[in-house]
Amino acid sequence: MSLNIEAKKAAVEEVSAAIANAQTMVVAEYRGISVASMTELRVNARKEGVYLRVLKNTLARRAVEGTPFANLADQMVGPLVYAASEDAVAAAKVLHQFAKQEDKIVLKAGSYNGELLNAAQVTELASIPSREELLSKLLFVMQAPLSGMARGLAALAEKKAGEEAA
């Protein structure tokens, strides 16, 4: 189905707006995937705050022109799904997790911080914990000394109460 020039311009503007604040963009080949699987991928992406779009490669090249993701233009060949996210790892994580269960999704390349990533580097990026996970781990590490001190004081108070009762 051919798009008219206005629809093409609108698609390019939509993608440009979506990637304007993105830190990461990942492309994956989706040859032969079922509609149900693609719908599931879209649902997963929406949950994680990832912009996911199937788009003609020429339009995608125009959308990334002049952005940090312009280095992906050479990788835009074949049937591709484009994922972009403000979170540095969310786009890579969504596509990587889905590629593990659906063998028809093949990670092709990505771009993070202006650097072109190959499929192996995208997989490495996906293995990094999300921002929320890292913050919760940091909070746990920060709370550990305080909770240890609180347990120690509670044990000391218990011991003193036991001595006074005896």
Side-chain angles (χ1 to χ4, degrees), residues 51-73:
Y51 176 79
L52 191 76
R53 179 83 193 253
V54 173
L55 188 65
K56 287 187 171 192
N57 295 330
T58 54
L59 298 179
R61 281 188 204 102
R62 285 200 180 129
V64 299
E65 229 171 62
T67 69
F69 307 116
N71 54 5
L72 275 174

Side-chain angles (χ1 to χ4, degrees), residues 77-153:
V77 178
L80 298 176
V81 60
Y82 300 90
S85 65
E86 290 182 29
D87 183 356
V89 298
K93 194 170 285 239
V94 166
L95 284 176
H96 175 70
Q97 292 295 333
F98 198 76
K100 282 201 274 188
Q101 69 186 34
E102 178 66 57
D103 61 340
K104 292 184 175 150
I105 292 278
V106 178
L107 294 175
K108 191 165 181 181
S111 180
Y112 169 69
N113 204 17
E115 289 186 37
L116 183 65
L117 306 173
N118 62 26
Q121 291 169 320
V122 171
T123 301
E124 284 180 36
L125 183 63
S127 68
I128 296 173
S130 70
R131 183 175 190 271
E132 289 76 26
E133 290 175 65
L134 290 173
L135 287 174
S136 68
K137 287 179 182 181
L138 177 64
L139 183 62
F140 175 76
V141 168
M142 290 172 64
Q143 285 180 339
L146 292 175
S147 61
M149 188 171 104
R151 281 193 297 273
L153 290 174

Side-chain angles (χ1 to χ4, degrees), residues 3-68:
L3 297 173
N4 66 23
I5 192 78
E6 299 305 319
K8 289 177 183 179
K9 285 180 182 177
V12 169
E13 286 177 22
E14 177 193 334
V15 173
S16 295
I19 66 172
N21 297 325
Q23 285 189 8
T24 306
M25 186 169 184
V26 179
V27 295
E29 222 173 88
Y30 68 94
R31 203 178 303 265
I33 191 169
S34 69
V35 173
S37 292
M38 188 57 104
T39 303
E40 183 183 343
L41 175 59
R42 285 188 170 117
V43 168
N44 292 345
R46 203 171 300 122
K47 276 188 220 171
E48 298 297 322
V50 174
Y51 176 79
L52 191 76
R53 179 83 193 253
V54 173
L55 188 65
K56 287 187 171 192
N57 295 330
T58 54
L59 298 179
R61 281 188 204 102
R62 285 200 180 129
V64 299
E65 229 171 62
T67 69

